[in-house]
Amino acid sequence: MTAAGPQIWFYHLERSGLEQVLPTLLDKVLRADLRAQVRVADADLAARLAEALWTWRDDSFLANGHTSGPHPERQPILFTSGTDNVNQAQALFIVDGAGFEPTEDFQRCFILFDGQDEDALTAARARWKALKGTGADISYWRQTLEGRWEKAG
């Protein structure tokens, strides 16, 4: 984390859905020996995403829990609708229009939004503009035609 706050990365989902992108990013975070928190506004979506992490690849799973489940403080990936950093995560994933603040406990913040959803796109643009105005360390990631992510801003 920098003195000004975390690195904030916007991921514009155009070619792949949240169910495909989130596990890949979480896997990278865990491989970097970091913990993650996934902030989700909708409980049903959180349950679907959590379940998908257990079966995301035939040869691998991503262990996770929810703040209402047993031992949330020990989870490498923790799903929450709250703002407390219960599992001492270094990476925060914000999906489904979940609240942004607070972020000062995190090194990195990933904002994933559906490029096909006009409301999500409008909210992401407003969030980008507000963060840019504060001098936050932000970048924009876009998926190429080949499915790779490239930094676009």
Side-chain angles (χ1 to χ4, degrees), residues 81-122:
S81 59
T83 58
D84 292 335
N85 190 357
V86 177
N87 66 334
Q88 301 303 302
Q90 297 90 355
L92 172 64
F93 289 79
I94 299 173
V95 301
D96 183 42
F100 181 72
E101 298 292 340
T103 59
E104 63 271 357
D105 287 346
F106 302 93
Q107 295 172 10
R108 295 187 187 123
C109 178
F110 300 78
I111 300 171
L112 286 68
F113 62 97
D114 182 351
Q116 308 303 318
D117 180 332
E118 223 22 73
D119 292 337
L121 204 50
T122 300

Side-chain angles (χ1 to χ4, degrees), residues 42-111:
D42 180 273
D44 290 335
L45 176 60
R48 284 196 317 272
L49 292 171
E51 181 63 32
L53 295 182
W54 287 103
T55 60
W56 83 288
R57 288 191 349 207
D58 289 340
D59 63 342
S60 181
F61 64 89
L62 296 170
N64 67 85
H66 194 279
T67 51
S68 63
H71 309 291
E73 70 282 356
R74 295 185 356 206
Q75 301 301 325
I77 299 170
L78 185 67
F79 283 87
T80 184
S81 59
T83 58
D84 292 335
N85 190 357
V86 177
N87 66 334
Q88 301 303 302
Q90 297 90 355
L92 172 64
F93 289 79
I94 299 173
V95 301
D96 183 42
F100 181 72
E101 298 292 340
T103 59
E104 63 271 357
D105 287 346
F106 302 93
Q107 295 172 10
R108 295 187 187 123
C109 178
F110 300 78
I111 300 171

Side-chain angles (χ1 to χ4, degrees), residues 15-53:
R15 304 194 189 307
S16 300
L18 181 61
E19 293 79 11
Q20 292 81 40
V21 174
L22 183 63
T24 303
L25 293 174
L26 286 168
D27 184 53
K28 289 181 180 186
V29 164
L30 293 182
R31 288 179 189 271
D33 216 16
L34 303 174
R35 288 176 170 244
Q37 189 175 105
V38 182
R39 198 176 289 165
V40 184
D42 180 273
D44 290 335
L45 176 60
R48 284 196 317 272
L49 292 171
E51 181 63 32
L53 295 182

Side-chain angles (χ1 to χ4, degrees), residues 119-148:
D119 292 337
L121 204 50
T122 300
R125 286 180 180 141
R127 195 173 269 173
W128 173 275
K129 185 176 180 180
L131 288 167
K132 191 77 165 167
T134 67
D137 181 5
I138 60 176
S139 57
Y140 173 79
W141 295 82
R142 169 171 240 158
Q143 209 168 16
T144 66
L145 291 174
E146 298 80 30
R148 295 180 178 258

